[in-house]
Amino acid sequence: MVAGHAACDIDVRFADDALGFAVETQLQALTSEDPDVSITLSGEIEKPSLARRQETLAMFARAGEINAGLGVPMVETRSGGGSDGNFTCAVGVPTLDGLGVIGNNWHSPQEHILIEPLARREALLRALILTYAGTRPTGDNA
């Protein structure tokens, strides 16, 4: 038996917008070798990448200095997810994601946070805000 119709969802995550557009272009170019089979694509790239720009790397270095002063190393990771930070980064705002509470199993019934690191996280965020206070663009883009 051959199905008369098939469908699939495609979820592609990318660290660089150019790579995302290249994948999108390749997907849009898909064709079937069988004249009785057609391929129809719908949708588009939902959000830009959270790119590792120089300004963000400088902010990460500053966060690392602050965290070291609090007795804990700062570790860069990637989750493969996405956040509103993808949009702020895309318009040129230095963006660090994942600076909230420490925990695990996000968006599940087992989601939890660790209480002990809360004061340290608050100190890190406070110091970062004070470091970058007053550096916000002014004028029409503010």
Side-chain angles (χ1 to χ4, degrees):
M1 174 172 227
V2 176
H5 179 267
C8 72
D9 291 324
I10 301 172
D11 183 357
V12 178
R13 313 285 172 102
F14 48 92
D16 177 270
D17 289 334
L19 294 173
F21 292 127
V23 169
E24 183 179 47
T25 298
Q26 289 179 337
L27 288 171
Q28 290 171 343
L30 287 175
T31 59
S32 172
E33 295 177 10
D34 184 331
D36 294 329
V37 174
S38 64
I39 298 174
T40 304
L41 242 58
S42 63
E44 60 191 359
I45 293 175
E46 187 177 288
K47 65 179 55 160
S49 68
L50 184 59
R52 296 179 80 238
R53 299 190 189 336
Q54 285 304 115
E55 298 84 3
T56 295
L57 293 173
M59 182 181 278
F60 180 77
R62 177 64 184 129
E65 293 167 1
I66 295 165
N67 227 37
L70 297 170
V72 180
M74 179 71 71
V75 178
E76 181 181 14
T77 63
R78 287 189 173 268
S79 71
S83 75
D84 291 341
N86 293 56
F87 297 104
T88 59
C89 182
V91 295
V93 176
T95 304
L96 298 181
D97 196 11
L99 291 177
V101 297
I102 297 173
N104 213 338
N105 298 319
W106 306 115
H107 313 297
S108 80
Q110 294 77 33
E111 178 175 346
H112 63 276
I113 67 169
L114 302 177
I115 303 299
E116 192 238 326
L118 287 176
R120 187 181 74 242
R121 287 301 252 206
E122 182 273 334
L124 168 62
L125 291 171
R126 178 189 300 265
L128 272 174
I129 290 167
L130 292 174
T131 297
Y132 289 93
T135 62
R136 186 174 148 203
T138 58
D140 294 336
N141 294 327

